[in-house]
Amino acid sequence: MEIQVTVNGKKFTSDVEPRTLLVHYVREVLNLTGTNVGCDTSSCGACSLHLDGEAVKSCTVLAVQADGANITTIEGMAAADGTLHPMQQSFMENHGLQCGFCTPGMVMAATSLLKENPNPTEDEVRIGLEGNLCRCTGYHNIVKAVLAAAGK
Amino acid sequence: MIPAAFDYVRAGSAAEAISLIGQHGSDAKFIAGGHSLLPMMKLRLAQPAVLVDISRISDLSYIKDAGDHIAIGAMTRHMEVEKSSVLAQHVPLLAHAAGHVGDPQVRHRGTIGGSIAHADPASDLPATTLALGATYVVQGPNGTREIAASDFYKSFLESDLAEDEMLTEIRVPKMNGAGWSFQKFNRRAQDWAIVGVAAWRGANGSGVGLVNMGQTPILASSVSAALAGGSSIADAAALAVADAQPSADNNATVEYRTHLAKVLVRRALEQASA
């Protein structure tokens, strides 16, 4: 089935099988491998990206369901000149990553969270990121990074 | 994990969706947000031959004040239920419970209609709408009918919906200032409740719904009857499992679920009565 999507500002037209998951479309067809597959069961959040401005778990969305949508992946967060998105910068400054596997999903979930709640409390950040797991258990600095980004 | 192959069609209206599901027969399934169905398909617990995508039926996404009740379109997403000012004012228990479904990413996709039609006893919204005395409106090839939530749930993941019927609207009576509480006990963030309780108590009585305490969401009628008869909260809560059939799983034994239900119903009633 043919789908048309805009990913990180670029338009793509692709022929996909209906059973193709959005995460596999993004990684294997568009070669945007920053979006990770972690648990593959909509638990861990590593595959989070923005679908029409909201964080979703792309392992649990069909590519055909995203037909016509505007998608942003982690590759689309930095500016064209390479300047990091404030959330990425904040993760760097606050040591909000260890192995880095959960980081793209964390950044996408955290930016979606701040869009809905620009001034969260620490508790609201922790609850707002409940859909994202960090197996390094580096949550403390992730929460710090999100709070710092909210202050910018 | 990738689902087994299927054909995909998209419906622009409820009538078109019902016609499509009729054409494709019992191997076809509706998909809304897909956050219950897709995980089952990836595990090959479900292998529909055809998916009829109903998530783009935009006139089924609304939250309206309809006088004595609030009418919610079946394709309204959990996040919209959670953030609705109309529900915050008139049915705060439902808005609050919707905020406990899955996690924010799940709530951006999952719909109230999908959750109810899936009829999972471990889900938050079936038991919550059951406690609130909701009515579900379903549409089929021969028109619409209304089903009381208390008549809807038949067995594990089985509801009164016929194969060619589609849930279109959820009607939830206004709470009129009744006290309420939602208790969700789980061991991990974002997880299903090991036991959950949705309760309200007001001038017109009370309603207590139990999550994950049987093959269907459970209405704890014995608790409400005891309260109506003048029982104390503690005595009423002792009847928490009178209408339930808890089973054991990796998270809890029957005894543990029974204990949790009694404690959580007591806490919920205390909060709802405060």
Side-chain angles (χ1 to χ4, degrees), chain A residues 1 3 17-21 24 39-45 48 51 54-57 59-62 64-69 105 109 112 116 127-133, chain B residues 1-8 10 31-36 38-39 41-44 51 53 55-56 77 79 83 99-109 189-191:
Chain A
M1 182 178 165
I3 62 166
E17 261 195 280
R19 62 173 169 168
T20 305
L21 301 170
H24 292 140
C39 69
D40 204 8
T41 58
S42 50
S43 301
C44 79
S48 296
L51 188 65
E54 295 172 330
V56 303
K57 294 181 169 178
C59 76
T60 310
V61 178
L62 298 169
V64 289
Q65 289 179 298
D67 185 18
S112 181
E116 287 163 17
I127 292 166
L129 293 179
E130 69 179 324
N132 293 72
L133 303 181
Chain B
M1 296 177 292
I2 296 167
F6 55 85
D7 289 327
Y8 171 88
R10 203 175 278 152
I31 184 167
H35 274 52
S36 298
L38 280 177
M41 288 173 64
K42 289 170 70 176
L43 293 167
R44 308 286 171 113
L51 284 187
D53 189 348
S55 64
R56 297 190 186 215
R77 297 175 304 154
M79 188 65 82
K83 300 273 170 75
H100 284 267
V101 176
D103 53 51
Q105 289 97 314
V106 170
R107 298 196 289 274
H108 286 144
R109 293 289 300 168
Q190 76 173 231
D191 212 344

Side-chain angles (χ1 to χ4, degrees), chain A residues 73-91:
Chain A
T73 67
I74 189 69
E75 289 91 344
M77 295 302 276
D81 67 358
T83 306
L84 292 180
H85 184 280
M87 186 65 75
Q88 293 173 305
Q89 187 67 33
S90 192
F91 267 65

Side-chain angles (χ1 to χ4, degrees), chain B:
Chain B
M1 296 177 292
I2 296 167
F6 55 85
D7 289 327
Y8 171 88
V9 288
R10 203 175 278 152
S13 67
E16 190 187 356
I18 291 155
S19 159
L20 284 168
I21 212 97
Q23 282 169 37
H24 293 288
S26 57
D27 283 345
K29 273 196 85 71
F30 291 124
I31 184 167
H35 274 52
S36 298
L37 182 57
L38 280 177
M40 290 179 68
M41 288 173 64
K42 289 170 70 176
L43 293 167
R44 308 286 171 113
L45 296 172
Q47 295 196 25
V50 180
L51 284 187
V52 177
D53 189 348
I54 56 175
S55 64
R56 297 190 186 215
I57 305 176
S58 53
D59 61 1
L60 287 184
S61 178
Y62 56 82
I63 298 170
K64 288 181 195 159
D65 189 330
D68 62 345
H69 68 273
I70 304 298
I72 306 169
M75 292 301 97
T76 308
R77 297 175 304 154
H78 299 314
M79 188 65 82
E80 292 157 340
V81 173
E82 176 187 358
K83 300 273 170 75
S84 161
S85 57
V86 172
L87 286 172
Q89 186 182 349
H90 295 294
V91 197
L93 171 56
L94 180 59
H96 181 84
H100 284 267
V101 176
D103 53 51
Q105 289 97 314
V106 170
R107 298 196 289 274
H108 286 144
R109 293 289 300 168
T111 64
I112 185 170
S115 174
I116 287 168
H118 188 54
D120 188 342
S123 289
D124 299 319
L125 301 187
T128 301
T129 51
L130 180 63
L132 287 163
T135 300
Y136 306 143
V137 182
V138 308
Q139 190 172 332
N142 302 316
T144 62
R145 64 186 179 113
E146 295 174 18
I147 310 170
S150 53
D151 294 327
F152 184 77
Y153 301 101
K154 296 301 182 192
S155 182
F156 183 68
L157 306 186
E158 296 282 345
S159 74
D160 197 45
L161 279 169
E163 276 175 0
D164 56 357
E165 283 184 319
M166 180 179 150
L167 176 61
T168 55
E169 185 175 276
I170 296 91
R171 295 179 180 163
V172 191
K174 288 185 179 173
M175 292 175 67
N176 298 318
W180 58 274
S181 176
F182 185 73
Q183 303 283 329
K184 182 170 182 174
F185 188 90
N186 56 14
R187 288 168 56 224
R188 299 180 299 191
Q190 76 173 231
D191 212 344
W192 282 275
I194 294 174
V195 175
V197 176
W200 63 272
R201 191 179 188 190
N204 302 324
S206 65
V208 179
L210 304 178
V211 179
N212 216 354
M213 282 297 287
Q215 293 295 298
T216 64
I218 302 292
L219 187 65
S221 309
S222 302
V223 174
S224 294
L227 290 174
S231 291
S232 67
I233 286 175
D235 289 346
L239 299 171
V241 293
D243 304 284
Q245 306 88 37
S247 54
D249 59 21
N250 286 345
N251 285 316
T253 60
V254 170
E255 293 74 18
Y256 184 45
R257 279 213 156 81
T258 299
H259 170 75
L260 277 176
K262 290 178 181 176
V263 170
L264 295 174
V265 167
R266 177 176 53 73
R267 283 184 196 164
L269 291 176
E270 283 169 354
Q271 197 174 356
S273 307

